[in-house]
Amino acid sequence: MHRRRLNKLRRYNDLPSFIEALPLYPTRIIVSRGIVRLYIFLFGFLSQCNVIPTAFGLPFLRITDMLVISTLPILYLVYIRLFNSALILTHIAPIMFAFLTCLFFFTDRRQGELYSSVFTFLYLLYFLPFTFALLREGCLDLFCWGILAGFATTTIFLLIDLYVPYTLTKIGLALVFDYEAVADAAAKGDYNAPLLRFEKAGGLWTHGNEAGPVFALAAAAAASLTERRRNFFIFASFVAIYLVSFSATLNRSGMGTVVLIGLISYMSSFSNRKITLTLVYGCIGTLIGSMVIFFGSFDLLDGAISKRFLEDENASSNIFERLESLGYGIQVALHNPFGIGLAARMAAMNAFSNLGTPHNGFVSTAFTSGILVGFFVVSSVAYMLFRYRKVRFFLYVAVTLTCGYFFEELDFNAAFMCWAGLLIGYTCLDLDYRLVRGRAILRYLLKLFKSQQSVCPEATSLSSVNS
């Protein structure tokens, strides 16, 4: 019993100070807590099951884009009392400065390329009050459940689109993809990016190399809920569904992300109960796997794993090419610090070699929105990795975002924009407390303590002892 209390106290003390002080932060205005909680769950769901509004004639790529642009002023109004000079100087002002410099000094922007740049900044601004709402209103678990529900739903849509194409495109639950037109173009020698979708299904996303990392982002929610609820079955269920999606997406980086998150979560704390549960689940998994193999139902997943991890002879050269393209991408970004258009950057990269992409989300963020925004994202990731006291969900957010960005240009993806916004918002809230708000709260508590002591010294001393 004493050991459990000690472990609970240690976990509590590992939280940053601003989490403990949240009850003293200003609360919302106008909107009720129930509406905020419902909206946060819905946003978590839609961040994974990100419906395509163009199917209904709306000029947005993703439904979360609609939510962000329509509710941004509302969210700021609801939590307007949160903002102080520190948050304005560390978050809002730098982002607005980066946005204006990107808007006026962007290199060779072509039609349609302004969309990604604008929404990158909108997501970053949006997730400061959103992150505060997650923590202040106690909605983090709800947000995680919403993400997992959206992930499971999107996996179902992925399989439906894989086996019954064109069924979901009319209602915005699968990306429009003309298989016959792309096949005819390939037969004529016109090889382009959509060809990837033939081998790697994408469902709601362009192809498997985008869908796989997006699905892997849900590992952060699964690991967080597993630790908070002390229920390994949550993460095991997530992994089982992810394996099903992997049989279609064939994305190695996403699978590696899920494995890494699982290892970090597992190594976070050891106990006899955890070891026992590991053995039990291992035996059950082995039994189920043996039955599945016996009936021949494992062939699809087995083929996917063999194809991507065992039979791929280009794996080593692929790693070398990505490192090489990363170096060239950094050079192009430094020469264009306020962003550069797609065609111009491909031409600049091809001038170094035949690699037209840096294969890196951090560098492509600098391409899309300027090197300053890329620095914000990298700094927030580093802050989360090296900050000792933190909410572990945001650690998993940093790891999943980093793993996705290391292998693909995913800065344009709405789910990754959410993750970048969450990290930067959380970092600024933590810094705000450590630099400014923490001292003000301590002064307030000291003043309150002295006033109570002057009124009733015996009750005050007794309450302080009990606390």
Side-chain angles (χ1 to χ4, degrees):
M1 181 64 71
H2 293 293
R3 183 176 297 177
R4 288 182 182 178
R5 291 180 179 176
L6 181 60
N7 290 335
K8 185 177 181 180
L9 181 62
R10 286 173 178 171
R11 287 194 301 273
Y12 181 77
N13 288 335
D14 284 343
L15 293 175
S17 299
F18 86 93
I19 299 295
E20 302 172 10
L22 280 176
L24 299 173
Y25 274 59
T27 187
R28 67 201 169 278
I29 61 173
I30 304 173
V31 177
S32 69
R33 184 170 182 261
I35 293 176
V36 172
R37 289 171 63 83
L38 178 62
Y39 177 75
I40 285 177
F41 175 84
L42 178 65
F43 198 100
F45 179 88
L46 293 175
S47 68
Q48 280 285 319
C49 188
N50 218 322
V51 181
I52 305 168
T54 52
F56 309 104
L58 300 173
F60 296 96
L61 296 181
R62 296 290 168 181
I63 194 170
T64 52
D65 298 347
M66 290 180 56
L67 291 175
V68 165
I69 200 169
S70 60
T71 61
L72 178 65
I74 298 174
L75 196 59
Y76 269 76
L77 177 62
V78 169
Y79 291 102
I80 191 171
R81 295 188 295 177
L82 163 71
F83 298 99
N84 59 9
S85 58
L87 285 178
I88 292 173
L89 290 175
T90 60
H91 188 276
I92 298 175
I95 290 174
M96 292 303 300
F97 175 77
F99 172 64
L100 292 175
T101 55
C102 173
L103 190 64
F104 291 110
F105 302 110
F106 196 92
T107 303
D108 197 10
R109 178 184 283 118
R110 300 195 176 184
Q111 186 176 4
E113 293 183 355
L114 182 61
Y115 186 95
S116 294
S117 299
V118 169
F119 271 96
T120 296
F121 292 104
L122 288 178
Y123 273 82
L124 296 184
L125 289 171
Y126 189 80
F127 275 91
L128 176 61
F130 188 93
T131 304
F132 176 71
L134 276 182
L135 301 170
R136 179 67 172 80
E137 312 297 344
C139 299
L140 185 55
D141 282 5
L142 267 179
F143 184 61
C144 291
W145 283 121
I147 291 170
L148 292 181
F151 160 69
T153 304
T154 309
T155 302
I156 295 172
F157 293 153
L158 171 72
L159 298 177
I160 292 174
D161 185 63
L162 179 63
Y163 293 105
V164 192
Y166 312 112
T167 304
L168 301 175
T169 54
K170 295 181 180 180
I171 54 176
L173 296 176
L175 197 68
V176 176
F177 183 77
D178 193 337
Y179 289 89
E180 295 179 1
V182 175
D184 291 341
K188 296 176 183 178
D190 182 13
Y191 297 101
N192 47 34
L195 280 172
L196 276 174
R197 196 176 177 97
F198 278 101
E199 181 183 5
K200 302 178 179 181
L204 265 170
W205 309 103
T206 310
H207 44 66
N209 282 354
E210 183 181 4
V214 171
F215 293 163
L217 295 180
S224 176
L225 286 172
T226 296
E227 294 178 7
R228 290 166 68 88
R229 300 300 179 94
R230 297 191 178 190
N231 188 348
F232 180 72
F233 181 74
I234 296 173
F235 196 81
S237 301
F238 162 76
V239 171
I241 299 174
Y242 191 87
L243 287 174
V244 173
S245 72
F246 175 78
S247 66
T249 63
L250 300 178
N251 180 257
R252 286 178 297 201
S253 64
M255 177 65 81
T257 301
V258 172
V259 172
L260 179 59
I261 292 295
L263 288 174
I264 294 174
S265 179
Y266 185 84
M267 297 293 290
S268 62
S269 62
F270 277 110
S271 66
N272 293 333
R273 182 175 179 271
K274 176 175 279 191
I275 296 173
T276 303
L277 284 175
T278 302
L279 294 174
V280 171
Y281 283 125
C283 293
I284 294 174
T286 303
L287 179 61
I288 294 175
S290 301
M291 294 174 63
V292 169
I293 293 172
F294 178 77
F295 288 106
S297 303
F298 187 69
D299 293 345
L300 183 63
L301 181 59
D302 180 53
I305 294 174
S306 299
K307 185 175 183 178
R308 296 302 292 157
F309 291 99
L310 302 178
E311 299 173 3
D312 190 351
E313 298 177 355
N314 298 321
S316 58
S317 61
N318 185 267
I319 294 174
F320 176 76
E321 286 182 356
R322 288 176 183 272
L323 291 174
E324 185 181 13
S325 64
L326 173 61
Y328 296 142
I330 292 174
Q331 293 182 54
V332 173
L334 292 175
H335 282 93
N336 302 273
F338 306 110
I340 181 172
L342 179 61
R345 85 192 195 201
M346 290 182 67
M349 298 242 350
N350 284 324
F352 291 110
S353 69
N354 61 347
L355 302 170
T357 170
H359 290 105
N360 187 280
F362 295 109
V363 176
S364 62
T365 298
F367 288 162
T368 304
S369 309
I371 200 168
L372 190 58
V373 176
F375 173 76
F376 292 158
V377 178
V378 172
S379 299
S380 63
V381 169
Y383 187 85
M384 282 307 307
L385 294 179
F386 294 104
R387 176 84 161 97
Y388 175 71
R389 302 176 68 185
K390 53 201 167 194
V391 178
R392 288 187 63 83
F393 168 75
F394 292 91
L395 168 65
Y396 296 136
V397 167
V399 173
T400 51
L401 177 119
T402 302
C403 290
Y405 273 7
F406 267 166
F407 296 98
E408 302 293 341
E409 290 188 45
L410 293 164
D411 61 290
F412 63 89
N413 183 279
F416 276 85
M417 287 182 185
C418 293
W419 251 224
L422 280 170
L423 279 180
I424 293 175
Y426 177 90
T427 300
C428 289
L429 286 173
D430 195 5
L431 287 174
D432 165 53
Y433 183 87
R434 299 177 72 184
L435 298 176
V436 176
R437 201 181 301 262
R439 297 175 185 175
I441 289 177
L442 288 176
R443 285 196 298 267
Y444 167 76
L445 291 176
L446 182 60
K447 182 178 179 181
L448 182 65
F449 176 78
K450 289 181 178 179
S451 63
Q452 290 179 348
Q453 192 176 32
S454 62
V455 173
C456 185
E458 294 181 359
T460 305
S461 61
L462 180 61
S463 62
S464 63
V465 170
N466 290 334
S467 63

PDB file of all heavy atoms in Angstrom, residues 34-49:
ATOM      1  N   GLY A  34     -19.201  21.341 -20.657  1.00  0.00           N
ATOM      2  CA  GLY A  34     -19.686  20.183 -21.406  1.00  0.00           C
ATOM      3  C   GLY A  34     -19.506  20.363 -22.905  1.00  0.00           C
ATOM      4  O   GLY A  34     -19.124  19.423 -23.620  1.00  0.00           O
ATOM      5  N   ILE A  35     -19.777  21.569 -23.402  1.00  0.00           N
ATOM      6  CA  ILE A  35     -19.610  21.828 -24.833  1.00  0.00           C
ATOM      7  C   ILE A  35     -18.141  21.746 -25.224  1.00  0.00           C
ATOM      8  O   ILE A  35     -17.792  21.208 -26.279  1.00  0.00           O
ATOM      9  CB  ILE A  35     -20.198  23.213 -25.185  1.00  0.00           C
ATOM     10  CG1 ILE A  35     -21.721  23.203 -25.007  1.00  0.00           C
ATOM     11  CG2 ILE A  35     -19.844  23.619 -26.604  1.00  0.00           C
ATOM     12  CD1 ILE A  35     -22.377  24.544 -25.245  1.00  0.00           C
ATOM     13  N   VAL A  36     -17.266  22.278 -24.381  1.00  0.00           N
ATOM     14  CA  VAL A  36     -15.825  22.213 -24.657  1.00  0.00           C
ATOM     15  C   VAL A  36     -15.359  20.763 -24.723  1.00  0.00           C
ATOM     16  O   VAL A  36     -14.625  20.371 -25.637  1.00  0.00           O
ATOM     17  CB  VAL A  36     -15.033  22.990 -23.586  1.00  0.00           C
ATOM     18  CG1 VAL A  36     -13.533  22.765 -23.752  1.00  0.00           C
ATOM     19  CG2 VAL A  36     -15.353  24.477 -23.659  1.00  0.00           C
ATOM     20  N   ARG A  37     -15.798  19.947 -23.785  1.00  0.00           N
ATOM     21  CA  ARG A  37     -15.388  18.544 -23.757  1.00  0.00           C
ATOM     22  C   ARG A  37     -15.905  17.794 -24.994  1.00  0.00           C
ATOM     23  O   ARG A  37     -15.177  16.988 -25.588  1.00  0.00           O
ATOM     24  CB  ARG A  37     -15.901  17.884 -22.481  1.00  0.00           C
ATOM     25  CG  ARG A  37     -15.180  18.356 -21.216  1.00  0.00           C
ATOM     26  CD  ARG A  37     -15.862  17.853 -19.956  1.00  0.00           C
ATOM     27  NE  ARG A  37     -15.831  16.405 -19.868  1.00  0.00           N
ATOM     28  CZ  ARG A  37     -14.807  15.689 -19.398  1.00  0.00           C
ATOM     29  NH1 ARG A  37     -13.731  16.324 -18.959  1.00  0.00           N
ATOM     30  NH2 ARG A  37     -14.862  14.386 -19.335  1.00  0.00           N
ATOM     31  N   LEU A  38     -17.141  18.043 -25.367  1.00  0.00           N
ATOM     32  CA  LEU A  38     -17.699  17.393 -26.550  1.00  0.00           C
ATOM     33  C   LEU A  38     -16.938  17.802 -27.805  1.00  0.00           C
ATOM     34  O   LEU A  38     -16.625  16.964 -28.657  1.00  0.00           O
ATOM     35  CB  LEU A  38     -19.182  17.753 -26.689  1.00  0.00           C
ATOM     36  CG  LEU A  38     -19.905  17.188 -27.929  1.00  0.00           C
ATOM     37  CD1 LEU A  38     -19.897  15.668 -27.908  1.00  0.00           C
ATOM     38  CD2 LEU A  38     -21.329  17.728 -28.002  1.00  0.00           C
ATOM     39  N   TYR A  39     -16.619  19.090 -27.913  1.00  0.00           N
ATOM     40  CA  TYR A  39     -15.897  19.573 -29.089  1.00  0.00           C
ATOM     41  C   TYR A  39     -14.496  18.973 -29.162  1.00  0.00           C
ATOM     42  O   TYR A  39     -14.029  18.606 -30.256  1.00  0.00           O
ATOM     43  CB  TYR A  39     -15.806  21.099 -29.056  1.00  0.00           C
ATOM     44  CG  TYR A  39     -15.014  21.661 -30.212  1.00  0.00           C
ATOM     45  CD1 TYR A  39     -15.560  21.716 -31.488  1.00  0.00           C
ATOM     46  CD2 TYR A  39     -13.710  22.114 -30.023  1.00  0.00           C
ATOM     47  CE1 TYR A  39     -14.822  22.208 -32.551  1.00  0.00           C
ATOM     48  CE2 TYR A  39     -12.974  22.608 -31.084  1.00  0.00           C
ATOM     49  CZ  TYR A  39     -13.539  22.660 -32.348  1.00  0.00           C
ATOM     50  OH  TYR A  39     -12.807  23.141 -33.398  1.00  0.00           O
ATOM     51  N   ILE A  40     -13.831  18.862 -28.031  1.00  0.00           N
ATOM     52  CA  ILE A  40     -12.469  18.307 -28.023  1.00  0.00           C
ATOM     53  C   ILE A  40     -12.484  16.841 -28.441  1.00  0.00           C
ATOM     54  O   ILE A  40     -11.615  16.392 -29.199  1.00  0.00           O
ATOM     55  CB  ILE A  40     -11.832  18.501 -26.639  1.00  0.00           C
ATOM     56  CG1 ILE A  40     -11.415  19.975 -26.476  1.00  0.00           C
ATOM     57  CG2 ILE A  40     -10.637  17.584 -26.427  1.00  0.00           C
ATOM     58  CD1 ILE A  40     -10.848  20.321 -25.130  1.00  0.00           C
ATOM     59  N   PHE A  41     -13.460  16.078 -27.957  1.00  0.00           N
ATOM     60  CA  PHE A  41     -13.579  14.685 -28.397  1.00  0.00           C
ATOM     61  C   PHE A  41     -13.821  14.622 -29.898  1.00  0.00           C
ATOM     62  O   PHE A  41     -13.193  13.809 -30.613  1.00  0.00           O
ATOM     63  CB  PHE A  41     -14.721  13.991 -27.657  1.00  0.00           C
ATOM     64  CG  PHE A  41     -14.993  12.588 -28.147  1.00  0.00           C
ATOM     65  CD1 PHE A  41     -14.256  11.514 -27.659  1.00  0.00           C
ATOM     66  CD2 PHE A  41     -15.973  12.343 -29.099  1.00  0.00           C
ATOM     67  CE1 PHE A  41     -14.487  10.230 -28.112  1.00  0.00           C
ATOM     68  CE2 PHE A  41     -16.209  11.052 -29.563  1.00  0.00           C
ATOM     69  CZ  PHE A  41     -15.469   9.995 -29.065  1.00  0.00           C
ATOM     70  N   LEU A  42     -14.703  15.469 -30.406  1.00  0.00           N
ATOM     71  CA  LEU A  42     -15.013  15.480 -31.840  1.00  0.00           C
ATOM     72  C   LEU A  42     -13.791  15.860 -32.660  1.00  0.00           C
ATOM     73  O   LEU A  42     -13.521  15.248 -33.702  1.00  0.00           O
ATOM     74  CB  LEU A  42     -16.159  16.462 -32.110  1.00  0.00           C
ATOM     75  CG  LEU A  42     -16.584  16.620 -33.573  1.00  0.00           C
ATOM     76  CD1 LEU A  42     -17.168  15.315 -34.094  1.00  0.00           C
ATOM     77  CD2 LEU A  42     -17.594  17.750 -33.716  1.00  0.00           C
ATOM     78  N   PHE A  43     -13.026  16.845 -32.191  1.00  0.00           N
ATOM     79  CA  PHE A  43     -11.837  17.260 -32.931  1.00  0.00           C
ATOM     80  C   PHE A  43     -10.804  16.142 -32.951  1.00  0.00           C
ATOM     81  O   PHE A  43     -10.148  15.909 -33.972  1.00  0.00           O
ATOM     82  CB  PHE A  43     -11.222  18.516 -32.308  1.00  0.00           C
ATOM     83  CG  PHE A  43     -10.278  19.242 -33.226  1.00  0.00           C
ATOM     84  CD1 PHE A  43     -10.713  20.359 -33.909  1.00  0.00           C
ATOM     85  CD2 PHE A  43      -8.977  18.811 -33.413  1.00  0.00           C
ATOM     86  CE1 PHE A  43      -9.850  21.037 -34.771  1.00  0.00           C
ATOM     87  CE2 PHE A  43      -8.113  19.455 -34.265  1.00  0.00           C
ATOM     88  CZ  PHE A  43      -8.556  20.578 -34.955  1.00  0.00           C
ATOM     89  N   GLY A  44     -10.641  15.436 -31.821  1.00  0.00           N
ATOM     90  CA  GLY A  44      -9.731  14.297 -31.804  1.00  0.00           C
ATOM     91  C   GLY A  44     -10.148  13.232 -32.808  1.00  0.00           C
ATOM     92  O   GLY A  44      -9.307  12.670 -33.524  1.00  0.00           O
ATOM     93  N   PHE A  45     -11.449  12.969 -32.884  1.00  0.00           N
ATOM     94  CA  PHE A  45     -11.962  11.987 -33.841  1.00  0.00           C
ATOM     95  C   PHE A  45     -11.671  12.421 -35.274  1.00  0.00           C
ATOM     96  O   PHE A  45     -11.174  11.636 -36.091  1.00  0.00           O
ATOM     97  CB  PHE A  45     -13.473  11.810 -33.642  1.00  0.00           C
ATOM     98  CG  PHE A  45     -14.117  10.845 -34.597  1.00  0.00           C
ATOM     99  CD1 PHE A  45     -14.172   9.487 -34.300  1.00  0.00           C
ATOM    100  CD2 PHE A  45     -14.664  11.286 -35.791  1.00  0.00           C
ATOM    101  CE1 PHE A  45     -14.764   8.597 -35.188  1.00  0.00           C
ATOM    102  CE2 PHE A  45     -15.252  10.407 -36.684  1.00  0.00           C
ATOM    103  CZ  PHE A  45     -15.300   9.052 -36.371  1.00  0.00           C
ATOM    104  N   LEU A  46     -11.945  13.677 -35.577  1.00  0.00           N
ATOM    105  CA  LEU A  46     -11.787  14.164 -36.946  1.00  0.00           C
ATOM    106  C   LEU A  46     -10.329  14.391 -37.331  1.00  0.00           C
ATOM    107  O   LEU A  46     -10.014  14.472 -38.520  1.00  0.00           O
ATOM    108  CB  LEU A  46     -12.583  15.458 -37.129  1.00  0.00           C
ATOM    109  CG  LEU A  46     -14.110  15.305 -37.048  1.00  0.00           C
ATOM    110  CD1 LEU A  46     -14.784  16.664 -37.133  1.00  0.00           C
ATOM    111  CD2 LEU A  46     -14.627  14.382 -38.146  1.00  0.00           C
ATOM    112  N   SER A  47      -9.441  14.510 -36.358  1.00  0.00           N
ATOM    113  CA  SER A  47      -8.024  14.649 -36.696  1.00  0.00           C
ATOM    114  C   SER A  47      -7.501  13.396 -37.383  1.00  0.00           C
ATOM    115  O   SER A  47      -6.573  13.455 -38.201  1.00  0.00           O
ATOM    116  CB  SER A  47      -7.195  14.940 -35.438  1.00  0.00           C
ATOM    117  OG  SER A  47      -7.166  13.820 -34.565  1.00  0.00           O
ATOM    118  N   GLN A  48      -8.096  12.237 -37.063  1.00  0.00           N
ATOM    119  CA  GLN A  48      -7.746  10.994 -37.753  1.00  0.00           C
ATOM    120  C   GLN A  48      -8.718  10.728 -38.903  1.00  0.00           C
ATOM    121  O   GLN A  48      -8.298  10.467 -40.021  1.00  0.00           O
ATOM    122  CB  GLN A  48      -7.778   9.828 -36.762  1.00  0.00           C
ATOM    123  CG  GLN A  48      -6.555   9.710 -35.885  1.00  0.00           C
ATOM    124  CD  GLN A  48      -5.347   9.147 -36.620  1.00  0.00           C
ATOM    125  OE1 GLN A  48      -5.465   8.218 -37.405  1.00  0.00           O
ATOM    126  NE2 GLN A  48      -4.176   9.710 -36.349  1.00  0.00           N
ATOM    127  N   CYS A  49     -10.008  10.770 -38.615  1.00  0.00           N
ATOM    128  CA  CYS A  49     -11.026  10.562 -39.656  1.00  0.00           C
ATOM    129  C   CYS A  49     -11.326  11.913 -40.306  1.00  0.00           C
ATOM    130  O   CYS A  49     -12.415  12.466 -40.156  1.00  0.00           O
ATOM    131  CB  CYS A  49     -12.285   9.943 -39.048  1.00  0.00           C
ATOM    132  SG  CYS A  49     -13.503   9.445 -40.261  1.00  0.00           S
TER     133      CYS A  49
END
